[in-house]
Amino acid sequence: MLNKKVMELALNKARKIKKDIPVCAIITKNNEIISIKTNKREEKNLITAHAEILALNDANKKLNSLRLNDCDIYVTLEPCPMCAWAIINSKIKNVYFSSYDINYGAFGGRINLAQIANSKINIKGGILEEEGCALLKNYFKELRNETTSG
């Protein structure tokens, strides 16, 4: 069940990220937060350290289960193909995201892996989309300013 307060929390956590693309993923079960993770690619120097992958691994460990059937995931940016495939394979019930990603989004922004996989996963994008888009635009604007001034 969609909970906008969880997406607001994800956006607030993403706003605090300084060295990476501001993406936060939160996994809930029965409206209880199981995992909150943010992108750590730059910090860990690890290409797979996307917020969604880190949150899935954390939830698997905490629930001692490969399957996250009764869980929902909230993400500030539409998951990429790597993350979308992991989410589909985790058997998460619902995916909620803020900003669509027309370049790399894999739940409808660019492609829809759920359709390709014939998955029954429920997907809802565009939740607090204005806030999510503003967050990303500000991050990339600051990054461009650092690159041109440095």
Side-chain angles (χ1 to χ4, degrees), residues 52-53 56 68 73 75 79-95 107 119 121:
E52 301 95 323
I53 298 296
L56 289 168
L68 303 175
I73 189 166
V75 189
C80 71
M82 175 182 71
C83 294
W85 200 253
I87 290 167
I88 290 167
N89 279 288
S90 75
K91 305 297 184 195
I92 275 187
K93 190 175 186 177
N94 299 296
V95 176
F107 281 135
S119 172
I121 197 167

Side-chain angles (χ1 to χ4, degrees), residues 2-3 24 26 31-32 41-42 46 55 58-59 65-66 69 72 74 84 89 105 108 124 134 140:
L2 171 63
N3 184 337
C24 177
I26 298 178
N31 283 325
E32 181 181 324
R41 285 179 28 158
E42 298 295 328
L46 184 62
D58 188 43
S65 176
L66 182 62
N69 303 49
D72 300 330
Y74 294 78
N89 279 288
K124 174 121 176 78
F140 286 110

